[in-house]
Amino acid sequence: MAAAAATTAAEAEYPRFVLGRARFDQSTFHGRFRHFLDIIDPRTLFVTERRLKAAVQLLEDFKYGTLPSGVSNQQLWEAQKIKQAVLHPDTNEKILMPFRMSGYIPFGTPIVVGLLLPQQTLATTVFWQWLNQSHNACVNYANRNATKPTPMSKFLLGYSGAVASAVSLAVGLNVFIKKASRFSPATRLLIQRFVPFPAVAAANVSNVVLMRHGELEEGISVMDQDGNAIGFSKIAARHALTETALTRVVLPIPILVLPPIVMSFLEKTRMLQARPRLTLPVHSLVCLAAFGFALPLAISLFPQISEIETSKLEPEIQSKTLGERSFYNKGL
């Protein structure tokens, strides 16, 4: 009885493997949330080259029906998790570690801490906004829909626009707050802690749109239900960028709003007042927790492989498939 229950539990956790499909139901938020928890698992940052090659080979063997006997569904799902975490889905090239989704939290948390440091000067505000948008630009580029090449000139245009929008908005808000005489010093300090959110949210949208503007001009690859490419669609590109931009607005809300609120309470506690040197470590842990909560929550709003009614696409694409729905890689 116990063995049967264990087998049933294993089958529920690791269902029958389907190549290229998600292990969890992507039609529900809960399924996408669990899927993206796998995608951002920082343990995949330490996968060796040998293990990566073994995972890719295992998936190739499954694809061509040459899978060795005794390979379990769990092994296949783990192999696909490794491949998806390390390799770009369109190019199959390795994504640099700091720009993988699994590296977003470890490499991004120090930047968030810097953005939320109190008593920011003009120089520190510019530095942390520049560093944040530089990191975001590289993450967006590394995880873009790459079915068509993106010229470096467009990357630089998007990068420059995102940095300019973030820095100008953050600096402008800081200057306004410092000159606002009706605010008490304590109120000004509290409001300054929330300045990074509107600056980062606006810049994140600019970053996505400018970095991936070429997709709007040339379209992105659209597939039928069997995964066969049926053309390039500008309409699908608009949907992909809209969905990605929305996640970039939602993402900084918990990261940049919750820590200032939490820290405003913690800094009044006896522990931090007696040990002010602990403020930065505690602040860092609060930011890490907020980041770890916010990232899977935001990117789970939409599935990475999104679907769209074929009837809403361009006529030339509709003529190439009988399926009612078509699919595209939204990017992350």
Side-chain angles (χ1 to χ4, degrees):
M1 182 71 71
T7 301
T8 303
E11 289 175 351
E13 187 69 13
Y14 294 97
R16 179 176 172 272
F17 180 75
V18 180
L19 185 64
R21 297 290 176 89
R23 178 175 144 209
F24 304 102
D25 183 6
Q26 296 299 282
S27 65
T28 68
F29 176 82
H30 179 259
R32 293 194 296 272
F33 186 79
R34 294 200 63 187
H35 169 70
F36 284 115
L37 282 178
D38 263 357
I39 296 294
I40 68 170
D41 186 349
R43 292 175 298 178
T44 59
L45 293 172
F46 305 102
V47 169
T48 62
E49 188 70 27
R50 181 178 178 181
R51 191 178 175 197
L52 174 62
K53 288 181 178 178
V56 172
Q57 186 59 53
L58 197 62
L59 296 175
E60 287 292 304
D61 291 341
F62 177 87
K63 181 178 180 179
Y64 294 106
T66 57
L67 198 65
S69 60
V71 176
S72 65
N73 284 314
Q74 180 176 351
Q75 288 174 291
L76 289 167
W77 284 119
E78 289 294 335
Q80 182 162 275
K81 172 182 174 178
I82 290 171
K83 181 182 178 182
Q84 289 178 340
V86 179
L87 303 180
H88 191 283
D90 294 328
T91 65
N92 278 323
E93 295 178 355
K94 286 182 72 173
I95 300 173
L96 290 176
M97 191 182 293
F99 310 137
R100 297 175 194 169
M101 294 309 296
S102 55
Y104 202 31
I105 293 175
F107 289 94
T109 297
I111 300 174
V112 172
V113 173
L115 283 168
L116 294 175
L117 288 174
Q119 303 290 358
Q120 295 269 15
T121 65
L122 177 63
T124 58
T125 297
V126 171
F127 172 75
W128 288 114
Q129 290 290 346
W130 163 77
L131 188 59
N132 181 54
Q133 290 308 318
S134 296
H135 184 233
N136 283 345
C138 292
V139 170
N140 286 339
Y141 183 81
N143 294 280
R144 71 198 184 284
N145 182 303
T147 50
K148 282 193 174 183
T150 302
M152 184 55 64
S153 59
K154 291 187 177 180
F155 170 80
L156 294 175
L157 174 64
Y159 170 70
S160 302
V163 170
S165 61
V167 169
S168 58
L169 186 54
V171 170
L173 287 172
N174 270 321
V175 170
F176 170 76
I177 291 167
K178 288 179 179 178
K179 289 185 176 181
S181 57
R182 63 180 179 277
F183 296 135
S184 67
T187 303
R188 273 201 293 266
L189 179 60
L190 181 62
I191 294 175
Q192 278 182 306
R193 283 182 152 177
F194 291 96
V195 164
F197 170 65
V200 169
N204 282 354
V205 174
S206 299
N207 201 321
V208 170
V209 174
L210 292 171
M211 290 287 297
R212 297 174 55 179
H213 187 261
E215 297 175 23
L216 296 175
E217 297 175 343
E218 301 177 6
I220 59 175
S221 180
V222 177
M223 302 164 286
D224 61 19
Q225 60 184 4
D226 297 319
N228 301 311
I230 54 176
F232 288 87
S233 170
K234 295 180 182 180
I235 296 173
R238 286 201 298 271
H239 281 259
L241 261 66
T242 300
E243 292 168 355
T244 305
L246 285 173
T247 65
R248 293 300 193 271
V249 172
V250 173
L251 177 59
I253 294 176
I255 299 173
L256 299 178
V257 173
L258 288 181
I261 296 174
V262 173
M263 288 306 297
S264 66
F265 286 103
L266 292 181
E267 287 169 357
K268 297 175 184 176
T269 62
R270 187 177 302 172
M271 182 187 73
L272 289 186
Q273 287 185 343
R275 302 175 181 84
R277 290 184 178 180
L278 292 178
T279 301
L280 183 58
V282 170
H283 188 195
S284 301
L285 289 175
V286 171
C287 289
L288 179 62
F291 209 159
F293 165 75
L295 182 59
L297 180 71
I299 60 179
S300 298
L301 293 176
F302 306 99
Q304 182 173 356
I305 303 300
S306 295
E307 59 181 74
I308 185 173
E309 292 180 19
T310 306
S311 60
K312 294 181 178 179
L313 297 175
E314 292 85 347
E316 60 270 22
I317 294 180
Q318 295 182 37
S319 64
K320 294 180 180 179
T321 178
L322 297 176
E324 294 183 358
R325 307 196 73 80
S326 298
F327 304 85
Y328 58 89
N329 175 16
K330 171 183 68 68
L332 287 173

